[in-house]
Amino acid sequence: MTSEASLAPAADAKPAPKAGLSRLETLKTESGYLREPLLTELANEEPCFSEAAVQILKFHGSYQQDDRDNRRKGESKDWQMMLRLRNPGGRVPAALFVALDDLSERYGNGTLRLTTRQAFQMHGVAKADLREVIGTIVRHLGSTLSACGDVNRNVMAPAAPYDKGAYPAARRLAADIADLLAPRRAEDTYLDLWVDGEPAYRIQPSEPVEAARAMQRSGAVYSGDANEPLYGTTYLPRKFKVAVTVPGDNSIDLLTQDIGLVAFCDPNGELRGCNVHVGGGMGRTHNNESTFARTADPLGYVAAEHVLELLQAILALQRDHGDRRIRRHARMKYVLQDRGIDWFREELTRYFPHPLLPLQREPRARLEDYLGWHRQARGLWFVGVPLLCGRLSGETRRALRRIVETYQLELRLTPNQDLLLCNIGTAQRSSVRRDLEAMGISEPEAPARLARHAIACPALPTCGLAITESERVLPEVLERLEALLQRLGISQSILVRMTGCPNGCARPYMAELGLVGSGPAQYQLWLGGTPNLSCLARPYLQRLHLNDLERALEPLLSDWQASGVRRSFGAHIGRIGPEKVQALLEGALQPA
């Protein structure tokens, strides 16, 4: 009998890339499990990495950027690194937050940013400080591994730390999925580069994860590489996103994920199984109709004992069938769009031998935000604190740190870029309330109505893909929209999302009103999403200048007001139909 090891490449083998693969696929194959040329370039004194090293750096949780506000003709760029953490379900222990706060002040630009995938980002880190910063994060039991790159990204779950219903099971499942889908040999590389290979910081998987990992070395799930049994040397064609939620809670934007799970539990809180949705994704490219936003298809219901096995089977299917020649066509949503859900189910049987059952019935979903005070468990409370655009800076950041340090509170980050302060004892509640009031947050449950669910990407000046502003102008945009709503006598809110480019990091294509950067101070106008994030919006204007925002929207809002505002703005857009919407917009923007 031949051993498994003898069937796989030798430990340091680098299988040759297949003909026709993109340049990046070859680079991944030749990187030595995401080691080179990053390791070599970390040792030089250049202020920036080469393009090849930048691509490998992403898998370690960092993007190379430059501050475009500081660009000067004839001068070198202001090179800096953005770091993104791996925080499954948005969980950030007190000690890790304090360490991040110190690092942002000492090595970054003095801010921390909550992302729309429930993780912290740090901006402004110099290349020379990267090893110190990542090493410190790891030593405080954080990680940046797989926060970026062609692997499974941060796994989302409802941030609320409730001890009731399916919430605890959803949190555990998100943490298990993060460990299950983490790269194996690349973890060795990661620890070698940033903490001198210290094994104490390795992922410690649960027993169910260990059992599922053992299955990665057999059948169609096996990549053929013993060192990276799930991913292989080329990892995935593009990024991969997974989220878990509970019935009725759509805080995690379920339909925008590569895999979206809805966890069902028995009365004792034990996981019974999950509804599974596949093939969502937001990224697209302007003027390229072959790229598009897409909501996920329902796949079926899977029993609890097979959930992890199904997750790695779907990832392996995407590994094998995702487009490795055209990166803009490489996400799993294009496999579903091109092949169809019936083909997908049939092909999946090669990777997953268990039955998929019909979907379980779910209640109507809501976009939960958990703002304000909530009972967490007996004797414990949490408070949701609104943070428009998720940026922590200045006195707000310092005051929050004092609260976290004083009471040793765990943080949970939400997909809406807000944060929850958790594990507050009943005796501490009044003190924490006073401390929040001193920060100017006296009613955390009642932020401005448009700001409550509005989100934006960072965009300028640091994101290299940004075409125009997003985070820095969103507060002004919301103030202008609020003034317009008040003038028209409309009391109902609108879900607004904004991005500086079409890649969709703030998921604007699900908003009732989405602004997607298309030129300097110009935006595509997307309309018709829903407050509970259940369907895609559609584009109506390609280049709306921000100066014309009120002029364009007033006829639509007036029509909504005249209808009695009995349904949401997005539903009203759907009811009156594209032709009337387009006519109202064109009439409003006609030259005087």
Side-chain angles (χ1 to χ4, degrees), residues 520-552:
Q522 294 178 318
Y523 299 82
Q524 280 189 332
L525 177 66
W526 288 68
L527 299 169
T530 57
N532 69 344
L533 307 170
S534 60
C535 72
L536 282 173
R538 59 183 298 166
Y540 283 94
L541 296 175
Q542 296 301 314
R543 290 184 176 271
L544 172 66
H545 199 285
L546 270 191
N547 291 343
D548 296 325
L549 182 65
E550 291 91 340
R551 187 156 65 102

PDB file of all heavy atoms in Angstrom, residues 520-552:
ATOM      1  N   PRO A 520     -13.980  62.439 -10.670  1.00  0.00           N
ATOM      2  CA  PRO A 520     -13.785  63.420  -9.603  1.00  0.00           C
ATOM      3  C   PRO A 520     -15.105  64.078  -9.199  1.00  0.00           C
ATOM      4  O   PRO A 520     -15.763  64.729 -10.018  1.00  0.00           O
ATOM      5  CB  PRO A 520     -12.818  64.437 -10.235  1.00  0.00           C
ATOM      6  CG  PRO A 520     -12.103  63.659 -11.286  1.00  0.00           C
ATOM      7  CD  PRO A 520     -13.119  62.690 -11.836  1.00  0.00           C
ATOM      8  N   ALA A 521     -15.513  63.857  -7.943  1.00  0.00           N
ATOM      9  CA  ALA A 521     -16.777  64.386  -7.398  1.00  0.00           C
ATOM     10  C   ALA A 521     -17.991  63.907  -8.187  1.00  0.00           C
ATOM     11  O   ALA A 521     -19.055  64.526  -8.139  1.00  0.00           O
ATOM     12  CB  ALA A 521     -16.757  65.909  -7.332  1.00  0.00           C
ATOM     13  N   GLN A 522     -17.847  62.803  -8.918  1.00  0.00           N
ATOM     14  CA  GLN A 522     -18.941  62.254  -9.713  1.00  0.00           C
ATOM     15  C   GLN A 522     -19.200  60.803  -9.302  1.00  0.00           C
ATOM     16  O   GLN A 522     -18.268  60.058  -8.965  1.00  0.00           O
ATOM     17  CB  GLN A 522     -18.609  62.311 -11.202  1.00  0.00           C
ATOM     18  CG  GLN A 522     -18.500  63.722 -11.747  1.00  0.00           C
ATOM     19  CD  GLN A 522     -18.119  63.733 -13.212  1.00  0.00           C
ATOM     20  OE1 GLN A 522     -17.259  62.961 -13.640  1.00  0.00           O
ATOM     21  NE2 GLN A 522     -18.743  64.603 -13.982  1.00  0.00           N
ATOM     22  N   TYR A 523     -20.481  60.403  -9.379  1.00  0.00           N
ATOM     23  CA  TYR A 523     -20.883  59.099  -8.869  1.00  0.00           C
ATOM     24  C   TYR A 523     -21.964  58.487  -9.740  1.00  0.00           C
ATOM     25  O   TYR A 523     -22.846  59.192 -10.242  1.00  0.00           O
ATOM     26  CB  TYR A 523     -21.428  59.226  -7.428  1.00  0.00           C
ATOM     27  CG  TYR A 523     -20.403  59.758  -6.468  1.00  0.00           C
ATOM     28  CD1 TYR A 523     -20.161  61.127  -6.371  1.00  0.00           C
ATOM     29  CD2 TYR A 523     -19.646  58.893  -5.680  1.00  0.00           C
ATOM     30  CE1 TYR A 523     -19.197  61.618  -5.509  1.00  0.00           C
ATOM     31  CE2 TYR A 523     -18.687  59.379  -4.813  1.00  0.00           C
ATOM     32  CZ  TYR A 523     -18.460  60.746  -4.735  1.00  0.00           C
ATOM     33  OH  TYR A 523     -17.494  61.219  -3.885  1.00  0.00           O
ATOM     34  N   GLN A 524     -21.873  57.169  -9.906  1.00  0.00           N
ATOM     35  CA  GLN A 524     -23.036  56.447 -10.392  1.00  0.00           C
ATOM     36  C   GLN A 524     -24.116  56.527  -9.321  1.00  0.00           C
ATOM     37  O   GLN A 524     -23.818  56.425  -8.118  1.00  0.00           O
ATOM     38  CB  GLN A 524     -22.703  54.976 -10.632  1.00  0.00           C
ATOM     39  CG  GLN A 524     -21.998  54.670 -11.916  1.00  0.00           C
ATOM     40  CD  GLN A 524     -21.914  53.157 -12.137  1.00  0.00           C
ATOM     41  OE1 GLN A 524     -21.899  52.372 -11.194  1.00  0.00           O
ATOM     42  NE2 GLN A 524     -21.845  52.747 -13.390  1.00  0.00           N
ATOM     43  N   LEU A 525     -25.367  56.660  -9.739  1.00  0.00           N
ATOM     44  CA  LEU A 525     -26.487  56.659  -8.812  1.00  0.00           C
ATOM     45  C   LEU A 525     -27.222  55.334  -8.929  1.00  0.00           C
ATOM     46  O   LEU A 525     -27.766  55.004  -9.992  1.00  0.00           O
ATOM     47  CB  LEU A 525     -27.436  57.817  -9.123  1.00  0.00           C
ATOM     48  CG  LEU A 525     -28.696  57.886  -8.254  1.00  0.00           C
ATOM     49  CD1 LEU A 525     -28.336  58.177  -6.788  1.00  0.00           C
ATOM     50  CD2 LEU A 525     -29.661  58.949  -8.784  1.00  0.00           C
ATOM     51  N   TRP A 526     -27.217  54.557  -7.850  1.00  0.00           N
ATOM     52  CA  TRP A 526     -27.921  53.283  -7.775  1.00  0.00           C
ATOM     53  C   TRP A 526     -29.126  53.448  -6.864  1.00  0.00           C
ATOM     54  O   TRP A 526     -29.009  54.002  -5.765  1.00  0.00           O
ATOM     55  CB  TRP A 526     -26.998  52.190  -7.231  1.00  0.00           C
ATOM     56  CG  TRP A 526     -25.932  51.762  -8.194  1.00  0.00           C
ATOM     57  CD1 TRP A 526     -24.865  52.504  -8.629  1.00  0.00           C
ATOM     58  CD2 TRP A 526     -25.829  50.502  -8.851  1.00  0.00           C
ATOM     59  NE1 TRP A 526     -24.104  51.781  -9.519  1.00  0.00           N
ATOM     60  CE2 TRP A 526     -24.669  50.547  -9.670  1.00  0.00           C
ATOM     61  CE3 TRP A 526     -26.582  49.336  -8.823  1.00  0.00           C
ATOM     62  CZ2 TRP A 526     -24.275  49.470 -10.455  1.00  0.00           C
ATOM     63  CZ3 TRP A 526     -26.189  48.254  -9.606  1.00  0.00           C
ATOM     64  CH2 TRP A 526     -25.050  48.325 -10.406  1.00  0.00           C
ATOM     65  N   LEU A 527     -30.267  52.943  -7.298  1.00  0.00           N
ATOM     66  CA  LEU A 527     -31.497  53.092  -6.539  1.00  0.00           C
ATOM     67  C   LEU A 527     -32.263  51.768  -6.508  1.00  0.00           C
ATOM     68  O   LEU A 527     -32.178  50.977  -7.460  1.00  0.00           O
ATOM     69  CB  LEU A 527     -32.407  54.162  -7.163  1.00  0.00           C
ATOM     70  CG  LEU A 527     -31.851  55.583  -7.252  1.00  0.00           C
ATOM     71  CD1 LEU A 527     -32.751  56.441  -8.136  1.00  0.00           C
ATOM     72  CD2 LEU A 527     -31.715  56.198  -5.864  1.00  0.00           C
ATOM     73  N   GLY A 528     -33.008  51.526  -5.423  1.00  0.00           N
ATOM     74  CA  GLY A 528     -33.947  50.425  -5.421  1.00  0.00           C
ATOM     75  C   GLY A 528     -33.618  49.244  -4.543  1.00  0.00           C
ATOM     76  O   GLY A 528     -34.341  48.245  -4.570  1.00  0.00           O
ATOM     77  N   GLY A 529     -32.521  49.322  -3.760  1.00  0.00           N
ATOM     78  CA  GLY A 529     -32.303  48.280  -2.771  1.00  0.00           C
ATOM     79  C   GLY A 529     -33.340  48.391  -1.665  1.00  0.00           C
ATOM     80  O   GLY A 529     -34.246  49.232  -1.717  1.00  0.00           O
ATOM     81  N   THR A 530     -33.225  47.563  -0.657  1.00  0.00           N
ATOM     82  CA  THR A 530     -34.227  47.543   0.402  1.00  0.00           C
ATOM     83  C   THR A 530     -33.581  47.752   1.766  1.00  0.00           C
ATOM     84  O   THR A 530     -32.398  47.451   1.956  1.00  0.00           O
ATOM     85  CB  THR A 530     -34.986  46.207   0.411  1.00  0.00           C
ATOM     86  OG1 THR A 530     -34.039  45.134   0.550  1.00  0.00           O
ATOM     87  CG2 THR A 530     -35.784  46.021  -0.868  1.00  0.00           C
ATOM     88  N   PRO A 531     -34.346  48.240   2.750  1.00  0.00           N
ATOM     89  CA  PRO A 531     -33.787  48.456   4.090  1.00  0.00           C
ATOM     90  C   PRO A 531     -33.275  47.187   4.758  1.00  0.00           C
ATOM     91  O   PRO A 531     -32.412  47.260   5.628  1.00  0.00           O
ATOM     92  CB  PRO A 531     -34.959  49.054   4.872  1.00  0.00           C
ATOM     93  CG  PRO A 531     -35.852  49.657   3.843  1.00  0.00           C
ATOM     94  CD  PRO A 531     -35.725  48.770   2.639  1.00  0.00           C
ATOM     95  N   ASN A 532     -33.795  46.021   4.356  1.00  0.00           N
ATOM     96  CA  ASN A 532     -33.322  44.770   4.962  1.00  0.00           C
ATOM     97  C   ASN A 532     -32.329  44.020   4.067  1.00  0.00           C
ATOM     98  O   ASN A 532     -32.034  42.863   4.298  1.00  0.00           O
ATOM     99  CB  ASN A 532     -34.504  43.863   5.318  1.00  0.00           C
ATOM    100  CG  ASN A 532     -35.204  43.303   4.091  1.00  0.00           C
ATOM    101  OD1 ASN A 532     -35.029  43.795   2.975  1.00  0.00           O
ATOM    102  ND2 ASN A 532     -36.019  42.273   4.289  1.00  0.00           N
ATOM    103  N   LEU A 533     -31.826  44.694   3.026  1.00  0.00           N
ATOM    104  CA  LEU A 533     -30.738  44.159   2.197  1.00  0.00           C
ATOM    105  C   LEU A 533     -31.126  42.851   1.510  1.00  0.00           C
ATOM    106  O   LEU A 533     -30.370  41.883   1.495  1.00  0.00           O
ATOM    107  CB  LEU A 533     -29.475  43.943   3.049  1.00  0.00           C
ATOM    108  CG  LEU A 533     -29.009  45.168   3.851  1.00  0.00           C
ATOM    109  CD1 LEU A 533     -27.923  44.792   4.835  1.00  0.00           C
ATOM    110  CD2 LEU A 533     -28.530  46.269   2.910  1.00  0.00           C
ATOM    111  N   SER A 534     -32.298  42.853   0.896  1.00  0.00           N
ATOM    112  CA  SER A 534     -32.809  41.620   0.296  1.00  0.00           C
ATOM    113  C   SER A 534     -32.754  41.602  -1.221  1.00  0.00           C
ATOM    114  O   SER A 534     -33.022  40.565  -1.832  1.00  0.00           O
ATOM    115  CB  SER A 534     -34.253  41.386   0.751  1.00  0.00           C
ATOM    116  OG  SER A 534     -35.088  42.464   0.358  1.00  0.00           O
ATOM    117  N   CYS A 535     -32.408  42.721  -1.869  1.00  0.00           N
ATOM    118  CA  CYS A 535     -32.313  42.709  -3.334  1.00  0.00           C
ATOM    119  C   CYS A 535     -31.351  43.787  -3.807  1.00  0.00           C
ATOM    120  O   CYS A 535     -31.035  44.727  -3.078  1.00  0.00           O
ATOM    121  CB  CYS A 535     -33.688  42.904  -3.981  1.00  0.00           C
ATOM    122  SG  CYS A 535     -34.360  44.563  -3.828  1.00  0.00           S
ATOM    123  N   LEU A 536     -30.892  43.625  -5.040  1.00  0.00           N
ATOM    124  CA  LEU A 536     -29.963  44.578  -5.632  1.00  0.00           C
ATOM    125  C   LEU A 536     -30.677  45.858  -6.066  1.00  0.00           C
ATOM    126  O   LEU A 536     -31.822  45.833  -6.524  1.00  0.00           O
ATOM    127  CB  LEU A 536     -29.294  43.979  -6.865  1.00  0.00           C
ATOM    128  CG  LEU A 536     -28.156  42.989  -6.658  1.00  0.00           C
ATOM    129  CD1 LEU A 536     -27.769  42.388  -7.997  1.00  0.00           C
ATOM    130  CD2 LEU A 536     -26.951  43.657  -6.009  1.00  0.00           C
ATOM    131  N   ALA A 537     -29.959  46.965  -5.929  1.00  0.00           N
ATOM    132  CA  ALA A 537     -30.367  48.199  -6.581  1.00  0.00           C
ATOM    133  C   ALA A 537     -29.995  48.116  -8.055  1.00  0.00           C
ATOM    134  O   ALA A 537     -29.419  47.122  -8.513  1.00  0.00           O
ATOM    135  CB  ALA A 537     -29.683  49.388  -5.914  1.00  0.00           C
ATOM    136  N   ARG A 538     -30.304  49.161  -8.819  1.00  0.00           N
ATOM    137  CA  ARG A 538     -29.888  49.206 -10.219  1.00  0.00           C
ATOM    138  C   ARG A 538     -29.377  50.600 -10.541  1.00  0.00           C
ATOM    139  O   ARG A 538     -29.775  51.586  -9.906  1.00  0.00           O
ATOM    140  CB  ARG A 538     -31.029  48.813 -11.154  1.00  0.00           C
ATOM    141  CG  ARG A 538     -32.267  49.656 -11.067  1.00  0.00           C
ATOM    142  CD  ARG A 538     -33.365  49.125 -11.977  1.00  0.00           C
ATOM    143  NE  ARG A 538     -32.972  49.157 -13.382  1.00  0.00           N
ATOM    144  CZ  ARG A 538     -33.618  48.526 -14.357  1.00  0.00           C
ATOM    145  NH1 ARG A 538     -34.679  47.784 -14.068  1.00  0.00           N
ATOM    146  NH2 ARG A 538     -33.220  48.612 -15.604  1.00  0.00           N
ATOM    147  N   PRO A 539     -28.486  50.722 -11.530  1.00  0.00           N
ATOM    148  CA  PRO A 539     -27.898  52.033 -11.839  1.00  0.00           C
ATOM    149  C   PRO A 539     -28.824  52.871 -12.714  1.00  0.00           C
ATOM    150  O   PRO A 539     -29.417  52.358 -13.665  1.00  0.00           O
ATOM    151  CB  PRO A 539     -26.618  51.671 -12.592  1.00  0.00           C
ATOM    152  CG  PRO A 539     -26.933  50.358 -13.252  1.00  0.00           C
ATOM    153  CD  PRO A 539     -27.867  49.636 -12.328  1.00  0.00           C
ATOM    154  N   TYR A 540     -28.902  54.164 -12.392  1.00  0.00           N
ATOM    155  CA  TYR A 540     -29.741  55.069 -13.173  1.00  0.00           C
ATOM    156  C   TYR A 540     -28.957  56.226 -13.779  1.00  0.00           C
ATOM    157  O   TYR A 540     -29.306  56.712 -14.854  1.00  0.00           O
ATOM    158  CB  TYR A 540     -30.871  55.622 -12.299  1.00  0.00           C
ATOM    159  CG  TYR A 540     -31.980  54.625 -12.090  1.00  0.00           C
ATOM    160  CD1 TYR A 540     -31.996  53.804 -10.962  1.00  0.00           C
ATOM    161  CD2 TYR A 540     -32.996  54.468 -13.022  1.00  0.00           C
ATOM    162  CE1 TYR A 540     -33.012  52.867 -10.773  1.00  0.00           C
ATOM    163  CE2 TYR A 540     -34.010  53.540 -12.849  1.00  0.00           C
ATOM    164  CZ  TYR A 540     -34.013  52.739 -11.724  1.00  0.00           C
ATOM    165  OH  TYR A 540     -35.012  51.820 -11.547  1.00  0.00           O
ATOM    166  N   LEU A 541     -27.917  56.687 -13.101  1.00  0.00           N
ATOM    167  CA  LEU A 541     -27.077  57.750 -13.642  1.00  0.00           C
ATOM    168  C   LEU A 541     -25.624  57.306 -13.573  1.00  0.00           C
ATOM    169  O   LEU A 541     -25.210  56.676 -12.598  1.00  0.00           O
ATOM    170  CB  LEU A 541     -27.263  59.054 -12.862  1.00  0.00           C
ATOM    171  CG  LEU A 541     -28.646  59.701 -12.909  1.00  0.00           C
ATOM    172  CD1 LEU A 541     -28.685  60.929 -11.988  1.00  0.00           C
ATOM    173  CD2 LEU A 541     -29.024  60.102 -14.338  1.00  0.00           C
ATOM    174  N   GLN A 542     -24.867  57.637 -14.617  1.00  0.00           N
ATOM    175  CA  GLN A 542     -23.471  57.228 -14.666  1.00  0.00           C
ATOM    176  C   GLN A 542     -22.524  58.237 -14.037  1.00  0.00           C
ATOM    177  O   GLN A 542     -21.521  57.854 -13.437  1.00  0.00           O
ATOM    178  CB  GLN A 542     -23.050  56.969 -16.119  1.00  0.00           C
ATOM    179  CG  GLN A 542     -23.791  55.807 -16.769  1.00  0.00           C
ATOM    180  CD  GLN A 542     -23.597  54.503 -16.026  1.00  0.00           C
ATOM    181  OE1 GLN A 542     -22.486  54.141 -15.649  1.00  0.00           O
ATOM    182  NE2 GLN A 542     -24.694  53.788 -15.794  1.00  0.00           N
ATOM    183  N   ARG A 543     -22.829  59.510 -14.158  1.00  0.00           N
ATOM    184  CA  ARG A 543     -21.912  60.527 -13.648  1.00  0.00           C
ATOM    185  C   ARG A 543     -22.703  61.679 -13.023  1.00  0.00           C
ATOM    186  O   ARG A 543     -22.822  62.756 -13.596  1.00  0.00           O
ATOM    187  CB  ARG A 543     -20.993  61.054 -14.758  1.00  0.00           C
ATOM    188  CG  ARG A 543     -19.957  60.038 -15.218  1.00  0.00           C
ATOM    189  CD  ARG A 543     -18.995  60.615 -16.244  1.00  0.00           C
ATOM    190  NE  ARG A 543     -17.968  59.672 -16.607  1.00  0.00           N
ATOM    191  CZ  ARG A 543     -16.795  59.545 -15.983  1.00  0.00           C
ATOM    192  NH1 ARG A 543     -16.540  60.316 -14.948  1.00  0.00           N
ATOM    193  NH2 ARG A 543     -15.905  58.658 -16.390  1.00  0.00           N
ATOM    194  N   LEU A 544     -23.243  61.429 -11.859  1.00  0.00           N
ATOM    195  CA  LEU A 544     -23.951  62.471 -11.119  1.00  0.00           C
ATOM    196  C   LEU A 544     -22.934  63.267 -10.311  1.00  0.00           C
ATOM    197  O   LEU A 544     -22.256  62.726  -9.441  1.00  0.00           O
ATOM    198  CB  LEU A 544     -24.986  61.843 -10.185  1.00  0.00           C
ATOM    199  CG  LEU A 544     -25.681  62.799  -9.214  1.00  0.00           C
ATOM    200  CD1 LEU A 544     -26.547  63.803  -9.972  1.00  0.00           C
ATOM    201  CD2 LEU A 544     -26.505  62.031  -8.187  1.00  0.00           C
ATOM    202  N   HIS A 545     -22.821  64.560 -10.608  1.00  0.00           N
ATOM    203  CA  HIS A 545     -21.922  65.402  -9.820  1.00  0.00           C
ATOM    204  C   HIS A 545     -22.559  65.664  -8.466  1.00  0.00           C
ATOM    205  O   HIS A 545     -23.767  65.886  -8.366  1.00  0.00           O
ATOM    206  CB  HIS A 545     -21.642  66.714 -10.550  1.00  0.00           C
ATOM    207  CG  HIS A 545     -20.417  67.419 -10.038  1.00  0.00           C
ATOM    208  ND1 HIS A 545     -20.394  68.106  -8.841  1.00  0.00           N
ATOM    209  CD2 HIS A 545     -19.169  67.527 -10.561  1.00  0.00           C
ATOM    210  CE1 HIS A 545     -19.190  68.612  -8.643  1.00  0.00           C
ATOM    211  NE2 HIS A 545     -18.421  68.267  -9.673  1.00  0.00           N
ATOM    212  N   LEU A 546     -21.747  65.651  -7.424  1.00  0.00           N
ATOM    213  CA  LEU A 546     -22.301  65.865  -6.089  1.00  0.00           C
ATOM    214  C   LEU A 546     -23.037  67.198  -5.979  1.00  0.00           C
ATOM    215  O   LEU A 546     -23.974  67.331  -5.193  1.00  0.00           O
ATOM    216  CB  LEU A 546     -21.194  65.795  -5.039  1.00  0.00           C
ATOM    217  CG  LEU A 546     -20.897  64.426  -4.421  1.00  0.00           C
ATOM    218  CD1 LEU A 546     -19.972  64.573  -3.231  1.00  0.00           C
ATOM    219  CD2 LEU A 546     -22.163  63.699  -4.006  1.00  0.00           C
ATOM    220  N   ASN A 547     -22.624  68.177  -6.757  1.00  0.00           N
ATOM    221  CA  ASN A 547     -23.317  69.468  -6.715  1.00  0.00           C
ATOM    222  C   ASN A 547     -24.775  69.351  -7.160  1.00  0.00           C
ATOM    223  O   ASN A 547     -25.602  70.204  -6.817  1.00  0.00           O
ATOM    224  CB  ASN A 547     -22.600  70.490  -7.599  1.00  0.00           C
ATOM    225  CG  ASN A 547     -21.246  70.889  -7.051  1.00  0.00           C
ATOM    226  OD1 ASN A 547     -20.951  70.662  -5.874  1.00  0.00           O
ATOM    227  ND2 ASN A 547     -20.410  71.479  -7.896  1.00  0.00           N
ATOM    228  N   ASP A 548     -25.082  68.316  -7.931  1.00  0.00           N
ATOM    229  CA  ASP A 548     -26.441  68.140  -8.463  1.00  0.00           C
ATOM    230  C   ASP A 548     -27.259  67.128  -7.664  1.00  0.00           C
ATOM    231  O   ASP A 548     -28.331  66.717  -8.109  1.00  0.00           O
ATOM    232  CB  ASP A 548     -26.371  67.677  -9.932  1.00  0.00           C
ATOM    233  CG  ASP A 548     -25.740  68.719 -10.838  1.00  0.00           C
ATOM    234  OD1 ASP A 548     -25.957  69.916 -10.595  1.00  0.00           O
ATOM    235  OD2 ASP A 548     -25.026  68.317 -11.781  1.00  0.00           O
ATOM    236  N   LEU A 549     -26.779  66.720  -6.504  1.00  0.00           N
ATOM    237  CA  LEU A 549     -27.424  65.643  -5.753  1.00  0.00           C
ATOM    238  C   LEU A 549     -28.878  65.971  -5.426  1.00  0.00           C
ATOM    239  O   LEU A 549     -29.785  65.182  -5.717  1.00  0.00           O
ATOM    240  CB  LEU A 549     -26.641  65.372  -4.468  1.00  0.00           C
ATOM    241  CG  LEU A 549     -27.150  64.233  -3.592  1.00  0.00           C
ATOM    242  CD1 LEU A 549     -27.008  62.896  -4.301  1.00  0.00           C
ATOM    243  CD2 LEU A 549     -26.379  64.203  -2.262  1.00  0.00           C
ATOM    244  N   GLU A 550     -29.117  67.122  -4.811  1.00  0.00           N
ATOM    245  CA  GLU A 550     -30.483  67.470  -4.420  1.00  0.00           C
ATOM    246  C   GLU A 550     -31.376  67.665  -5.643  1.00  0.00           C
ATOM    247  O   GLU A 550     -32.540  67.239  -5.650  1.00  0.00           O
ATOM    248  CB  GLU A 550     -30.495  68.738  -3.564  1.00  0.00           C
ATOM    249  CG  GLU A 550     -29.879  68.559  -2.189  1.00  0.00           C
ATOM    250  CD  GLU A 550     -28.390  68.867  -2.142  1.00  0.00           C
ATOM    251  OE1 GLU A 550     -27.740  68.852  -3.231  1.00  0.00           O
ATOM    252  OE2 GLU A 550     -27.863  69.118  -1.054  1.00  0.00           O
ATOM    253  N   ARG A 551     -30.839  68.303  -6.651  1.00  0.00           N
ATOM    254  CA  ARG A 551     -31.632  68.554  -7.864  1.00  0.00           C
ATOM    255  C   ARG A 551     -32.084  67.244  -8.503  1.00  0.00           C
ATOM    256  O   ARG A 551     -33.219  67.128  -8.996  1.00  0.00           O
ATOM    257  CB  ARG A 551     -30.793  69.374  -8.853  1.00  0.00           C
ATOM    258  CG  ARG A 551     -31.567  69.849 -10.079  1.00  0.00           C
ATOM    259  CD  ARG A 551     -30.914  71.091 -10.678  1.00  0.00           C
ATOM    260  NE  ARG A 551     -29.596  70.829 -11.210  1.00  0.00           N
ATOM    261  CZ  ARG A 551     -29.331  70.670 -12.503  1.00  0.00           C
ATOM    262  NH1 ARG A 551     -30.321  70.718 -13.385  1.00  0.00           N
ATOM    263  NH2 ARG A 551     -28.106  70.469 -12.920  1.00  0.00           N
ATOM    264  N   ALA A 552     -31.213  66.240  -8.500  1.00  0.00           N
ATOM    265  CA  ALA A 552     -31.568  64.951  -9.094  1.00  0.00           C
ATOM    266  C   ALA A 552     -32.591  64.198  -8.263  1.00  0.00           C
ATOM    267  O   ALA A 552     -33.522  63.579  -8.796  1.00  0.00           O
ATOM    268  CB  ALA A 552     -30.310  64.100  -9.270  1.00  0.00           C
TER     269      ALA A 552
END
